[in-house]
Amino acid sequence: MSPWLFRGLLIALVMASTGCAVNPVTGRQDFVMMSEAQELALGRQASGQVESQMPLVADEALQQYVQSVGDQLAMHSHRSRLDYRFRVVDSPEINAFALPGGYVYLNRGLLAYLNSEAEMAAVLGHEIGHVTARHGVRQQSMAMGAGLLAEVATIGTGMRAVGDLGNMLGTAMVRGYGREMELEADGLGAEYLARAGYRPDAVLKVIGVLKDQDSYTRQRADAEGRPVPDGYHGLFATHPTHDQRLQQVVSRAEGLTTGDRQRTGRDEYLKMIDGLIFGDSPEQGIVRDNRFYHAGLDMVIEFPAGWVVVNRPDLLLAHTRDEQGFIGLTVERLQAERNPQALLRQRVGGRRLVQEERLQGAGFEGWTAIIPGDQARRVAALVKGDQVFLFVAGVRGRAPLEQHDADFRRVIQGFRGMTKADAELASPLRVRLQRARAGDTYASLASQSPLGEQAEARLRLLNGQWPAGEPSPGDWIKVVR
């Protein structure tokens, strides 16, 4: 036996002897490569990173409400002794996620589209299911194991192709668990809902709400000729509400309920989210049409008409409709150096600059230049107060920078402070409740909405009545003002 092959077999044996643990949900042996203590430590570390990059909603009443609903579900879960933390992230994206060890995050944007406490509980229960079944740990262990097995194959045979095949199989195996793990989390979520006194079919309602949002997003992307973004957990193409197995797991959970313990909590939930910020928050800046406003930074930037603006906590990114031209902006607090030319040279790391130019405007001084080459980039540093605004712009592939450089320059040179008129535009939109009156339609409500040309469709989505529903007189409905 080759010593290399022996070493490979030894690694495999160690993996086999130490990489299994009892699944808290099924009682079966799962392949995992970390203890529960390691899982909890990983979750704590990851939660710290998440909260340093994604600020939480500064509404303590809302945070406590979500925590209390999550606690009711967690106490009926298979790992009720974990110290669960449920938090609302200040992000307009429609998403939720869980970290190992019991850290569950709901995006503010998702809350706007839910219509009852039971629906929110269904999302929380689904994420708790990921935690209790140790899905994150199992996926990481599968990936680690696949990598080790690929290394064994490469060492043992001397053939790189075999190692590559091992990586391919390992990746497919990990991705193949997505559907099964999501279905398992749905079943667990429905079970926890029933045991906590909620209607288990709220799981189906949530999937319907999210599928409607996904369908609308796809239609808009197709109409505008842009790529379709991933949906919540990226599974809607293979996760239909009429899926027979999904119906079965919800039906099994319904057998756990009692006749008088199936609350929905619609009014309570809607009153809790009345006033919730919709879209961008002031802390991260507000996008209105083709302008970006940030009151805290006292700045306004205008982008060319038709460009797409993506506002993230760590980066402001704008690109042409065809995604050929891009410009990004980050902000840093100044240390010692305040000269924009010197700051720009520091940031480009000694690379050669050409066409250097001084910039000056109301309240700021700046410097812009081009990094030449096959993939040339326009860069700039603007110093305003105790902060520096750093721009990087470029064109996809090897297309010439000149294709969009005039627009890049206009964006950078148009940087300015806010006026009194800007301050009003920098105020956020909010979800508001109102009673539907006789004769109200989403078309009539859309005519008074600030949501733009898609207001009618978006109001239907907010109220769970897309694509053709209408409000009933006397019902609470959500509008945006």
Side-chain angles (χ1 to χ4, degrees):
M1 176 183 290
S2 161
W4 293 111
L5 185 57
F6 174 80
R7 176 189 170 194
L9 289 174
L10 182 61
I11 293 173
L13 286 171
V14 170
M15 288 167 54
S17 63
T18 64
C20 291
V22 175
N23 186 298
V25 171
T26 65
R28 297 192 300 265
Q29 293 285 323
D30 283 335
F31 175 68
V32 295
M33 298 183 71
M34 69 174 67
S35 66
E36 183 174 80
Q38 291 172 319
E39 174 190 0
L40 299 179
L42 176 64
R44 283 193 298 272
Q45 180 182 8
S47 70
Q49 294 173 346
V50 165
E51 294 180 24
S52 68
Q53 298 174 15
M54 302 176 68
L56 303 181
V57 168
D59 182 340
E60 192 56 37
L62 179 63
Q63 297 286 3
Q64 290 179 4
Y65 174 65
V66 173
Q67 181 72 42
S68 67
V69 174
D71 285 341
Q72 294 176 55
L73 298 164
M75 68 183 294
H76 294 285
S77 76
H78 293 81
R79 302 177 74 185
S80 58
R81 60 185 178 79
L82 292 182
D83 184 15
Y84 287 88
R85 304 295 177 89
F86 302 93
R87 296 289 184 265
V88 181
V89 176
D90 190 14
S91 167
E93 301 299 321
I94 300 173
N95 203 6
F97 59 96
L99 302 176
Y103 297 85
V104 176
Y105 295 91
L106 275 67
N107 283 13
R108 168 174 53 79
L110 174 59
L111 295 182
Y113 287 89
L114 302 179
N115 285 286
S116 71
E117 185 175 298
E119 290 181 14
M120 184 184 75
V123 176
L124 293 173
H126 178 95
E127 299 302 334
I128 293 170
H130 283 308
V131 174
T132 58
R134 304 190 78 192
H135 287 161
V137 174
R138 285 159 60 187
Q139 281 198 320
Q140 185 176 40
S141 296
M142 296 278 285
M144 292 168 63
L148 279 174
L149 290 173
E151 180 184 352
V152 168
T154 302
I155 292 172
T157 64
M159 296 174 60
R160 179 67 185 175
V162 176
D164 291 341
L165 178 61
N167 281 322
M168 291 171 60
L169 291 174
T171 300
M173 185 167 59
V174 170
R175 289 179 177 172
Y177 266 73
R179 174 75 186 279
E180 298 304 313
M181 287 183 175
E182 294 297 335
L183 183 64
E184 185 176 30
D186 284 332
L188 292 169
E191 177 182 338
Y192 304 154
L193 281 172
R195 294 189 184 281
Y198 292 99
R199 294 177 58 92
D201 63 0
V203 171
L204 303 179
K205 291 183 180 297
V206 167
I207 292 176
V209 166
L210 296 171
K211 277 187 68 66
D212 286 345
Q213 181 68 36
D214 190 64
S215 297
Y216 167 77
T217 301
R218 288 176 182 276
Q219 288 181 14
R220 294 300 303 160
D222 289 343
E224 296 171 3
R226 54 184 172 82
V228 179
D230 289 335
Y232 173 58
H233 286 212
L235 288 170
F236 292 119
T238 58
H239 204 77
T241 54
H242 61 266
D243 181 281
Q244 185 176 2
R245 290 195 297 164
L246 177 59
Q247 297 281 352
Q248 288 173 347
V249 299
V250 172
S251 295
R252 284 197 295 271
E254 287 174 343
L256 302 172
T257 63
T258 59
D260 60 346
R261 295 181 66 247
Q262 295 188 34
R263 70 182 184 274
T264 300
R266 174 176 166 79
D267 287 355
E268 297 91 329
Y269 179 79
L270 292 180
K271 289 177 181 177
M272 181 56 65
I273 66 167
D274 187 17
L276 183 73
I277 290 176
F278 184 81
D280 295 326
S281 67
E283 288 75 16
Q284 297 178 32
I286 305 290
V287 177
R288 292 275 187 273
D289 297 323
N290 62 325
R291 288 187 178 90
F292 175 77
Y293 303 87
H294 199 300
L297 298 175
D298 184 27
M299 59 165 285
V300 180
I301 301 178
E302 183 171 352
F303 297 97
W307 280 34
V308 177
V309 183
V310 181
N311 183 19
R312 295 173 25 181
D314 59 336
L315 172 70
L316 178 67
L317 177 69
H319 59 78
T320 56
R321 182 71 67 185
D322 60 4
E323 297 191 2
Q324 294 303 303
F326 294 81
I327 185 167
L329 168 65
T330 60
V331 185
E332 296 178 10
R333 190 166 296 280
L334 288 171
Q335 301 300 323
E337 182 58 69
R338 302 183 65 87
N339 182 288
Q341 181 182 17
L343 284 167
L344 187 61
R345 290 188 174 279
Q346 287 176 4
R347 294 305 187 276
V348 301
R351 281 176 286 183
R352 186 167 69 95
L353 296 176
V354 299
Q355 298 183 35
E356 297 186 61
E357 180 184 357
R358 182 187 179 191
L359 302 174
Q360 193 165 15
F364 76 87
E365 291 188 358
W367 200 265
T368 186
I370 291 174
I371 302 174
D374 291 338
Q375 294 183 316
R377 296 288 183 261
R378 162 74 61 183
V379 292
L382 307 183
V383 174
K384 183 176 186 295
D386 62 350
Q387 291 170 315
V388 57
F389 297 80
L390 300 166
F391 291 86
V392 179
V395 180
R396 185 183 295 277
R398 296 183 179 275
L401 183 68
E402 289 75 17
Q403 186 175 350
H404 292 292
D405 192 42
D407 284 331
F408 298 152
R409 285 174 53 84
R410 276 193 289 271
V411 170
I412 295 167
Q413 291 176 328
F415 176 95
R416 61 178 175 82
M418 294 185 66
T419 65
K420 290 183 179 179
D422 294 327
E424 183 175 346
L425 293 171
S427 299
L429 300 177
R430 294 182 183 272
V431 174
R432 295 296 184 186
L433 291 185
Q434 68 181 51
R435 294 282 187 185
R437 299 168 299 182
D440 276 348
T441 66
Y442 287 116
S444 65
L445 294 168
S447 67
Q448 308 167 39
S449 172
L451 294 178
E453 62 178 13
Q454 292 298 309
E456 184 176 345
R458 296 177 73 183
L459 288 172
R460 284 198 172 99
L461 287 165
L462 278 169
N463 290 281
Q465 293 190 298
W466 189 83
E470 294 294 355
S472 298
D475 283 352
W476 284 116
I477 56 174
K478 290 179 283 187
V479 297
V480 175
R481 291 198 289 266

